[in-house]
Amino acid sequence: MIILRDHPLYNLNTFGIKAIANYFTELTSAEEMKELLHHESYKTMPKLILGGGSNLLLIQENINGLVLKNSIHGISKVKEDRDYVYVRAGAGESWHGLVSYCLQHNYAGVENLSLIPGNVGAAPMQNIGAYGVELKDVFSELEALNINDLKMEIFNSAQCRFGYRESVFKHELKDRYIITSVTLRLNKVPRFNTSYGAITQELESMGVQEVSIAAISAAVCNIRRSKLPDPAKIGNAGSFFKNPEVKTEKYNALKSVFPSIVGYPLENGNTKLAAGWLIEQCGWKGKIIGNAGVHKLQALVLINNGNASGKEIYELSRQILDSVLEKFGVTLEREVNIY
Ligand code: EPU
C-alpha cells in the first residue's frame, strides 16, 4: 500500500476543485483497509472516504488528514431464486458499469438509474434515485468495515434507514464505516417503471413500439444527456439541493400566488416542490458569478465555470438559499456532501 503526501484531488472530484490531500491512498480490498487502519495514526486521523467524488464539494484547499479512495472492484451473481437474481458489486465499481452489467444479463430494476455518476459504494449513502426509482427498491444488503473494531458487518435495507437521498451512513453512522460491497436484488421478469412523464415522452419520440429495459435505459440516458452537464466537460455534482418537502397548506398558499409552481403530492400528505423551479424563478438559471454558476438547462445543478474554488461554489449556493427563502419562505437543503 502506498501513502502519498500532498496529493492533488483535482481529477478525483467531479466539480474539478483543486484541493490537496495531506495524505492519500487508494485501496483495492477490505484486507488492505484493515491493514492500514491497524496503524493507530491512520485510524484516528480525520478521514474522507472517496468513491467517484460525484456528490462532493471540497471547500478546504488543504484536506487535513487522510483521503482514502475506495477502489474495490468485482461484479458477480451471488445467488438466484425463482423471481430474483442477486448481484454483488465492489464499492469501487462505477455505478453505470453495474447498470450496464445488469442490462447485458437482462436483470431488471436499475434501468431507470442509468448514467448516474459515481461509484457503487456511494449509492446507498444517499439512496441514489432518478425517474421514479431509488436504490432502496433494488437493494438487498451491503457489507461495510467498522473503522473502530475493524470487523466486517452486513446491513440490510431496514438497517440502512433509507430516506429521500438519505441513509444512516450520512447521520448516526457517519464516518464510522467504509462500505466495501453492495448486493442488489434484481427482477428476472421486468416491472417497467415509466411513470415519470419524461420517460414516456422520450420512448415515444424514439419510436419504441415495445418497452424493454434496454429501451428505458436508452431513454433515461437521452434525457440525462439533454439536461445534465457531463462532468468530464463542465464540473458539477448533479443536483446541488434536495427537492424540499412542505406542508400541503403551504404549497396551496404558494400556488395561489405562483400558479405555475411545480409540486408532487407525497404519501405522507405533504408536497415535494421542484427546487429547480424555485431557483429558476429567483432568476438564477444560467447565471455565472465569477467562476461558479448555475447550469443553463437545469437550475438545480451548480457548475464550476472554469477555475472555481469550493468556497466560491459554496458561497453561490448560500446566495441561492437566501433568495429562495426570501421569495418563497422555503428553506433548501444541500444534497451534495460538503467537506
Ligand atoms: N424545473 C424548472 N426549472 C429548472 C429545473 C427543473 O422549472 O431549471 C422543474 C420542471 O418543471 C421539471 C421539474 O422541475 O418538470 C423537475 O425537474 P427534473 O425532472 O429535471 O428533476 P429534478 O426534480 O430537478 C430530480 C433529482 C435528480 C433526478 C431527476 C429525475 C433531486 C434532488 N434530484 O431532479 O437527481 O435525476 O429528479 O428523476 O431529487 C441528483 O440527485 O443528483 C439528480 C440529478
Side-chain angles (χ1 to χ4, degrees), residues 254-283:
L254 284 169
K255 195 154 179 75
S256 64
V257 186
F258 306 100
S260 63
I261 192 167
V262 182
Y264 315 94
L266 295 172
E267 277 171 15
N268 64 8
N270 290 342
T271 298
K272 190 177 269 191
L273 301 178
W277 185 91
L278 300 173
I279 297 168
E280 181 176 347
Q281 297 303 307
C282 291

PDB file of all heavy atoms in Angstrom, residues 254-283:
ATOM      1  N   LEU A 254     -48.730  28.904  -1.677  1.00  0.00           N
ATOM      2  CA  LEU A 254     -47.771  29.357  -2.695  1.00  0.00           C
ATOM      3  C   LEU A 254     -48.418  29.315  -4.087  1.00  0.00           C
ATOM      4  O   LEU A 254     -48.226  30.212  -4.904  1.00  0.00           O
ATOM      5  CB  LEU A 254     -46.516  28.478  -2.687  1.00  0.00           C
ATOM      6  CG  LEU A 254     -45.524  28.724  -1.545  1.00  0.00           C
ATOM      7  CD1 LEU A 254     -44.472  27.623  -1.488  1.00  0.00           C
ATOM      8  CD2 LEU A 254     -44.833  30.082  -1.732  1.00  0.00           C
ATOM      9  N   LYS A 255     -49.214  28.266  -4.320  1.00  0.00           N
ATOM     10  CA  LYS A 255     -49.827  28.092  -5.647  1.00  0.00           C
ATOM     11  C   LYS A 255     -50.802  29.227  -5.962  1.00  0.00           C
ATOM     12  O   LYS A 255     -50.949  29.619  -7.125  1.00  0.00           O
ATOM     13  CB  LYS A 255     -50.543  26.734  -5.725  1.00  0.00           C
ATOM     14  CG  LYS A 255     -50.882  26.338  -7.149  1.00  0.00           C
ATOM     15  CD  LYS A 255     -50.998  24.845  -7.344  1.00  0.00           C
ATOM     16  CE  LYS A 255     -51.367  24.508  -8.760  1.00  0.00           C
ATOM     17  NZ  LYS A 255     -50.248  24.651  -9.697  1.00  0.00           N
ATOM     18  N   SER A 256     -51.433  29.769  -4.921  1.00  0.00           N
ATOM     19  CA  SER A 256     -52.371  30.864  -5.197  1.00  0.00           C
ATOM     20  C   SER A 256     -51.615  32.133  -5.636  1.00  0.00           C
ATOM     21  O   SER A 256     -52.151  32.949  -6.368  1.00  0.00           O
ATOM     22  CB  SER A 256     -53.261  31.127  -3.978  1.00  0.00           C
ATOM     23  OG  SER A 256     -52.447  31.567  -2.907  1.00  0.00           O
ATOM     24  N   VAL A 257     -50.381  32.258  -5.206  1.00  0.00           N
ATOM     25  CA  VAL A 257     -49.583  33.432  -5.621  1.00  0.00           C
ATOM     26  C   VAL A 257     -48.763  33.121  -6.874  1.00  0.00           C
ATOM     27  O   VAL A 257     -48.572  33.967  -7.744  1.00  0.00           O
ATOM     28  CB  VAL A 257     -48.618  33.856  -4.474  1.00  0.00           C
ATOM     29  CG1 VAL A 257     -47.892  35.152  -4.824  1.00  0.00           C
ATOM     30  CG2 VAL A 257     -49.364  33.990  -3.160  1.00  0.00           C
ATOM     31  N   PHE A 258     -48.256  31.858  -6.946  1.00  0.00           N
ATOM     32  CA  PHE A 258     -47.409  31.451  -8.084  1.00  0.00           C
ATOM     33  C   PHE A 258     -48.070  30.224  -8.744  1.00  0.00           C
ATOM     34  O   PHE A 258     -47.696  29.076  -8.449  1.00  0.00           O
ATOM     35  CB  PHE A 258     -45.998  31.055  -7.607  1.00  0.00           C
ATOM     36  CG  PHE A 258     -45.310  32.094  -6.779  1.00  0.00           C
ATOM     37  CD1 PHE A 258     -45.281  32.008  -5.388  1.00  0.00           C
ATOM     38  CD2 PHE A 258     -44.674  33.170  -7.390  1.00  0.00           C
ATOM     39  CE1 PHE A 258     -44.634  32.969  -4.623  1.00  0.00           C
ATOM     40  CE2 PHE A 258     -44.030  34.142  -6.623  1.00  0.00           C
ATOM     41  CZ  PHE A 258     -44.007  34.040  -5.229  1.00  0.00           C
ATOM     42  N   PRO A 259     -49.052  30.445  -9.632  1.00  0.00           N
ATOM     43  CA  PRO A 259     -49.850  29.323 -10.150  1.00  0.00           C
ATOM     44  C   PRO A 259     -49.029  28.257 -10.887  1.00  0.00           C
ATOM     45  O   PRO A 259     -49.458  27.102 -10.966  1.00  0.00           O
ATOM     46  CB  PRO A 259     -50.840  29.993 -11.111  1.00  0.00           C
ATOM     47  CG  PRO A 259     -50.809  31.434 -10.782  1.00  0.00           C
ATOM     48  CD  PRO A 259     -49.498  31.749 -10.145  1.00  0.00           C
ATOM     49  N   SER A 260     -47.854  28.605 -11.400  1.00  0.00           N
ATOM     50  CA  SER A 260     -47.105  27.602 -12.179  1.00  0.00           C
ATOM     51  C   SER A 260     -46.114  26.811 -11.317  1.00  0.00           C
ATOM     52  O   SER A 260     -45.326  26.017 -11.838  1.00  0.00           O
ATOM     53  CB  SER A 260     -46.364  28.280 -13.331  1.00  0.00           C
ATOM     54  OG  SER A 260     -45.407  29.182 -12.820  1.00  0.00           O
ATOM     55  N   ILE A 261     -46.167  26.982  -9.997  1.00  0.00           N
ATOM     56  CA  ILE A 261     -45.240  26.254  -9.113  1.00  0.00           C
ATOM     57  C   ILE A 261     -45.376  24.745  -9.348  1.00  0.00           C
ATOM     58  O   ILE A 261     -46.474  24.240  -9.614  1.00  0.00           O
ATOM     59  CB  ILE A 261     -45.494  26.615  -7.622  1.00  0.00           C
ATOM     60  CG1 ILE A 261     -44.365  26.103  -6.737  1.00  0.00           C
ATOM     61  CG2 ILE A 261     -46.849  26.085  -7.139  1.00  0.00           C
ATOM     62  CD1 ILE A 261     -44.392  26.679  -5.320  1.00  0.00           C
ATOM     63  N   VAL A 262     -44.225  24.018  -9.298  1.00  0.00           N
ATOM     64  CA  VAL A 262     -44.251  22.574  -9.563  1.00  0.00           C
ATOM     65  C   VAL A 262     -44.152  21.832  -8.229  1.00  0.00           C
ATOM     66  O   VAL A 262     -43.198  22.019  -7.468  1.00  0.00           O
ATOM     67  CB  VAL A 262     -43.080  22.161 -10.487  1.00  0.00           C
ATOM     68  CG1 VAL A 262     -43.146  20.658 -10.782  1.00  0.00           C
ATOM     69  CG2 VAL A 262     -43.101  22.962 -11.788  1.00  0.00           C
ATOM     70  N   GLY A 263     -45.159  20.988  -7.933  1.00  0.00           N
ATOM     71  CA  GLY A 263     -45.154  20.204  -6.695  1.00  0.00           C
ATOM     72  C   GLY A 263     -45.734  18.825  -6.936  1.00  0.00           C
ATOM     73  O   GLY A 263     -46.540  18.642  -7.843  1.00  0.00           O
ATOM     74  N   TYR A 264     -45.270  17.858  -6.156  1.00  0.00           N
ATOM     75  CA  TYR A 264     -45.762  16.480  -6.288  1.00  0.00           C
ATOM     76  C   TYR A 264     -46.285  16.029  -4.921  1.00  0.00           C
ATOM     77  O   TYR A 264     -45.579  16.153  -3.918  1.00  0.00           O
ATOM     78  CB  TYR A 264     -44.624  15.527  -6.694  1.00  0.00           C
ATOM     79  CG  TYR A 264     -43.742  16.066  -7.798  1.00  0.00           C
ATOM     80  CD1 TYR A 264     -42.560  16.758  -7.505  1.00  0.00           C
ATOM     81  CD2 TYR A 264     -44.092  15.883  -9.127  1.00  0.00           C
ATOM     82  CE1 TYR A 264     -41.753  17.263  -8.514  1.00  0.00           C
ATOM     83  CE2 TYR A 264     -43.281  16.385 -10.144  1.00  0.00           C
ATOM     84  CZ  TYR A 264     -42.117  17.078  -9.832  1.00  0.00           C
ATOM     85  OH  TYR A 264     -41.324  17.578 -10.822  1.00  0.00           O
ATOM     86  N   PRO A 265     -47.524  15.491  -4.880  1.00  0.00           N
ATOM     87  CA  PRO A 265     -48.042  15.031  -3.589  1.00  0.00           C
ATOM     88  C   PRO A 265     -47.276  13.823  -3.081  1.00  0.00           C
ATOM     89  O   PRO A 265     -46.897  12.952  -3.866  1.00  0.00           O
ATOM     90  CB  PRO A 265     -49.496  14.642  -3.909  1.00  0.00           C
ATOM     91  CG  PRO A 265     -49.566  14.486  -5.384  1.00  0.00           C
ATOM     92  CD  PRO A 265     -48.454  15.274  -5.991  1.00  0.00           C
ATOM     93  N   LEU A 266     -47.027  13.765  -1.781  1.00  0.00           N
ATOM     94  CA  LEU A 266     -46.324  12.631  -1.173  1.00  0.00           C
ATOM     95  C   LEU A 266     -47.314  11.774  -0.405  1.00  0.00           C
ATOM     96  O   LEU A 266     -48.382  12.248  -0.015  1.00  0.00           O
ATOM     97  CB  LEU A 266     -45.238  13.149  -0.217  1.00  0.00           C
ATOM     98  CG  LEU A 266     -44.087  13.924  -0.847  1.00  0.00           C
ATOM     99  CD1 LEU A 266     -43.204  14.536   0.247  1.00  0.00           C
ATOM    100  CD2 LEU A 266     -43.254  13.025  -1.752  1.00  0.00           C
ATOM    101  N   GLU A 267     -46.916  10.523  -0.147  1.00  0.00           N
ATOM    102  CA  GLU A 267     -47.816   9.607   0.571  1.00  0.00           C
ATOM    103  C   GLU A 267     -48.121  10.101   1.990  1.00  0.00           C
ATOM    104  O   GLU A 267     -49.179   9.824   2.533  1.00  0.00           O
ATOM    105  CB  GLU A 267     -47.189   8.211   0.647  1.00  0.00           C
ATOM    106  CG  GLU A 267     -47.424   7.411  -0.621  1.00  0.00           C
ATOM    107  CD  GLU A 267     -46.642   6.123  -0.669  1.00  0.00           C
ATOM    108  OE1 GLU A 267     -46.131   5.702   0.392  1.00  0.00           O
ATOM    109  OE2 GLU A 267     -46.537   5.559  -1.767  1.00  0.00           O
ATOM    110  N   ASN A 268     -47.178  10.854   2.582  1.00  0.00           N
ATOM    111  CA  ASN A 268     -47.395  11.317   3.957  1.00  0.00           C
ATOM    112  C   ASN A 268     -48.273  12.571   4.030  1.00  0.00           C
ATOM    113  O   ASN A 268     -48.417  13.177   5.095  1.00  0.00           O
ATOM    114  CB  ASN A 268     -46.046  11.576   4.649  1.00  0.00           C
ATOM    115  CG  ASN A 268     -45.259  12.699   3.983  1.00  0.00           C
ATOM    116  OD1 ASN A 268     -45.768  13.392   3.094  1.00  0.00           O
ATOM    117  ND2 ASN A 268     -44.020  12.892   4.399  1.00  0.00           N
ATOM    118  N   GLY A 269     -48.850  12.964   2.877  1.00  0.00           N
ATOM    119  CA  GLY A 269     -49.768  14.107   2.878  1.00  0.00           C
ATOM    120  C   GLY A 269     -49.083  15.440   2.593  1.00  0.00           C
ATOM    121  O   GLY A 269     -49.745  16.431   2.330  1.00  0.00           O
ATOM    122  N   ASN A 270     -47.758  15.467   2.650  1.00  0.00           N
ATOM    123  CA  ASN A 270     -47.031  16.698   2.313  1.00  0.00           C
ATOM    124  C   ASN A 270     -46.836  16.803   0.798  1.00  0.00           C
ATOM    125  O   ASN A 270     -47.244  15.911   0.053  1.00  0.00           O
ATOM    126  CB  ASN A 270     -45.660  16.706   3.000  1.00  0.00           C
ATOM    127  CG  ASN A 270     -45.784  16.880   4.507  1.00  0.00           C
ATOM    128  OD1 ASN A 270     -46.809  17.321   5.003  1.00  0.00           O
ATOM    129  ND2 ASN A 270     -44.737  16.522   5.228  1.00  0.00           N
ATOM    130  N   THR A 271     -46.192  17.887   0.385  1.00  0.00           N
ATOM    131  CA  THR A 271     -45.928  18.087  -1.049  1.00  0.00           C
ATOM    132  C   THR A 271     -44.445  18.348  -1.245  1.00  0.00           C
ATOM    133  O   THR A 271     -43.830  19.085  -0.470  1.00  0.00           O
ATOM    134  CB  THR A 271     -46.762  19.285  -1.585  1.00  0.00           C
ATOM    135  OG1 THR A 271     -48.149  18.965  -1.434  1.00  0.00           O
ATOM    136  CG2 THR A 271     -46.480  19.573  -3.047  1.00  0.00           C
ATOM    137  N   LYS A 272     -43.893  17.709  -2.273  1.00  0.00           N
ATOM    138  CA  LYS A 272     -42.481  17.946  -2.606  1.00  0.00           C
ATOM    139  C   LYS A 272     -42.429  18.986  -3.721  1.00  0.00           C
ATOM    140  O   LYS A 272     -43.122  18.865  -4.730  1.00  0.00           O
ATOM    141  CB  LYS A 272     -41.843  16.630  -3.078  1.00  0.00           C
ATOM    142  CG  LYS A 272     -40.345  16.730  -3.204  1.00  0.00           C
ATOM    143  CD  LYS A 272     -39.728  15.417  -3.605  1.00  0.00           C
ATOM    144  CE  LYS A 272     -39.338  14.608  -2.401  1.00  0.00           C
ATOM    145  NZ  LYS A 272     -38.505  13.447  -2.770  1.00  0.00           N
ATOM    146  N   LEU A 273     -41.651  20.024  -3.500  1.00  0.00           N
ATOM    147  CA  LEU A 273     -41.545  21.090  -4.506  1.00  0.00           C
ATOM    148  C   LEU A 273     -40.327  20.845  -5.393  1.00  0.00           C
ATOM    149  O   LEU A 273     -39.307  20.327  -4.929  1.00  0.00           O
ATOM    150  CB  LEU A 273     -41.377  22.449  -3.816  1.00  0.00           C
ATOM    151  CG  LEU A 273     -42.477  22.885  -2.852  1.00  0.00           C
ATOM    152  CD1 LEU A 273     -42.115  24.225  -2.215  1.00  0.00           C
ATOM    153  CD2 LEU A 273     -43.814  22.989  -3.582  1.00  0.00           C
ATOM    154  N   ALA A 274     -40.434  21.240  -6.658  1.00  0.00           N
ATOM    155  CA  ALA A 274     -39.275  21.143  -7.562  1.00  0.00           C
ATOM    156  C   ALA A 274     -38.345  22.319  -7.248  1.00  0.00           C
ATOM    157  O   ALA A 274     -38.663  23.473  -7.563  1.00  0.00           O
ATOM    158  CB  ALA A 274     -39.721  21.182  -9.019  1.00  0.00           C
ATOM    159  N   ALA A 275     -37.209  22.010  -6.628  1.00  0.00           N
ATOM    160  CA  ALA A 275     -36.275  23.082  -6.255  1.00  0.00           C
ATOM    161  C   ALA A 275     -35.769  23.806  -7.502  1.00  0.00           C
ATOM    162  O   ALA A 275     -35.517  25.016  -7.463  1.00  0.00           O
ATOM    163  CB  ALA A 275     -35.110  22.490  -5.461  1.00  0.00           C
ATOM    164  N   GLY A 276     -35.632  23.067  -8.608  1.00  0.00           N
ATOM    165  CA  GLY A 276     -35.167  23.688  -9.869  1.00  0.00           C
ATOM    166  C   GLY A 276     -36.078  24.833 -10.273  1.00  0.00           C
ATOM    167  O   GLY A 276     -35.614  25.892 -10.720  1.00  0.00           O
ATOM    168  N   TRP A 277     -37.376  24.638 -10.096  1.00  0.00           N
ATOM    169  CA  TRP A 277     -38.353  25.687 -10.450  1.00  0.00           C
ATOM    170  C   TRP A 277     -38.172  26.896  -9.532  1.00  0.00           C
ATOM    171  O   TRP A 277     -38.143  28.038  -9.980  1.00  0.00           O
ATOM    172  CB  TRP A 277     -39.775  25.118 -10.353  1.00  0.00           C
ATOM    173  CG  TRP A 277     -40.832  26.073 -10.813  1.00  0.00           C
ATOM    174  CD1 TRP A 277     -41.340  26.194 -12.072  1.00  0.00           C
ATOM    175  CD2 TRP A 277     -41.494  27.075 -10.013  1.00  0.00           C
ATOM    176  NE1 TRP A 277     -42.278  27.200 -12.115  1.00  0.00           N
ATOM    177  CE2 TRP A 277     -42.394  27.760 -10.863  1.00  0.00           C
ATOM    178  CE3 TRP A 277     -41.416  27.463  -8.673  1.00  0.00           C
ATOM    179  CZ2 TRP A 277     -43.204  28.796 -10.415  1.00  0.00           C
ATOM    180  CZ3 TRP A 277     -42.222  28.504  -8.231  1.00  0.00           C
ATOM    181  CH2 TRP A 277     -43.108  29.161  -9.097  1.00  0.00           C
ATOM    182  N   LEU A 278     -38.057  26.632  -8.217  1.00  0.00           N
ATOM    183  CA  LEU A 278     -37.918  27.743  -7.251  1.00  0.00           C
ATOM    184  C   LEU A 278     -36.680  28.579  -7.586  1.00  0.00           C
ATOM    185  O   LEU A 278     -36.713  29.810  -7.565  1.00  0.00           O
ATOM    186  CB  LEU A 278     -37.788  27.188  -5.821  1.00  0.00           C
ATOM    187  CG  LEU A 278     -38.942  26.343  -5.272  1.00  0.00           C
ATOM    188  CD1 LEU A 278     -38.560  25.739  -3.917  1.00  0.00           C
ATOM    189  CD2 LEU A 278     -40.207  27.194  -5.110  1.00  0.00           C
ATOM    190  N   ILE A 279     -35.575  27.878  -7.885  1.00  0.00           N
ATOM    191  CA  ILE A 279     -34.304  28.569  -8.147  1.00  0.00           C
ATOM    192  C   ILE A 279     -34.396  29.367  -9.456  1.00  0.00           C
ATOM    193  O   ILE A 279     -33.968  30.517  -9.539  1.00  0.00           O
ATOM    194  CB  ILE A 279     -33.140  27.545  -8.183  1.00  0.00           C
ATOM    195  CG1 ILE A 279     -32.998  26.874  -6.804  1.00  0.00           C
ATOM    196  CG2 ILE A 279     -31.829  28.201  -8.598  1.00  0.00           C
ATOM    197  CD1 ILE A 279     -32.078  25.658  -6.786  1.00  0.00           C
ATOM    198  N   GLU A 280     -35.031  28.739 -10.453  1.00  0.00           N
ATOM    199  CA  GLU A 280     -35.195  29.436 -11.739  1.00  0.00           C
ATOM    200  C   GLU A 280     -36.019  30.714 -11.558  1.00  0.00           C
ATOM    201  O   GLU A 280     -35.669  31.768 -12.101  1.00  0.00           O
ATOM    202  CB  GLU A 280     -35.879  28.491 -12.746  1.00  0.00           C
ATOM    203  CG  GLU A 280     -36.050  29.155 -14.099  1.00  0.00           C
ATOM    204  CD  GLU A 280     -36.622  28.241 -15.174  1.00  0.00           C
ATOM    205  OE1 GLU A 280     -36.684  27.012 -14.976  1.00  0.00           O
ATOM    206  OE2 GLU A 280     -36.996  28.791 -16.223  1.00  0.00           O
ATOM    207  N   GLN A 281     -37.086  30.628 -10.758  1.00  0.00           N
ATOM    208  CA  GLN A 281     -37.951  31.801 -10.549  1.00  0.00           C
ATOM    209  C   GLN A 281     -37.218  32.937  -9.840  1.00  0.00           C
ATOM    210  O   GLN A 281     -37.615  34.090  -9.940  1.00  0.00           O
ATOM    211  CB  GLN A 281     -39.190  31.426  -9.722  1.00  0.00           C
ATOM    212  CG  GLN A 281     -40.101  30.421 -10.389  1.00  0.00           C
ATOM    213  CD  GLN A 281     -40.588  30.873 -11.743  1.00  0.00           C
ATOM    214  OE1 GLN A 281     -41.122  31.970 -11.875  1.00  0.00           O
ATOM    215  NE2 GLN A 281     -40.384  30.051 -12.771  1.00  0.00           N
ATOM    216  N   CYS A 282     -36.160  32.601  -9.107  1.00  0.00           N
ATOM    217  CA  CYS A 282     -35.375  33.659  -8.440  1.00  0.00           C
ATOM    218  C   CYS A 282     -34.334  34.241  -9.404  1.00  0.00           C
ATOM    219  O   CYS A 282     -33.487  35.044  -8.995  1.00  0.00           O
ATOM    220  CB  CYS A 282     -34.692  33.096  -7.194  1.00  0.00           C
ATOM    221  SG  CYS A 282     -35.842  32.681  -5.886  1.00  0.00           S
ATOM    222  N   GLY A 283     -34.384  33.817 -10.642  1.00  0.00           N
ATOM    223  CA  GLY A 283     -33.525  34.423 -11.675  1.00  0.00           C
ATOM    224  C   GLY A 283     -32.124  33.834 -11.771  1.00  0.00           C
ATOM    225  O   GLY A 283     -31.243  34.424 -12.413  1.00  0.00           O
TER     226      GLY A 283
END
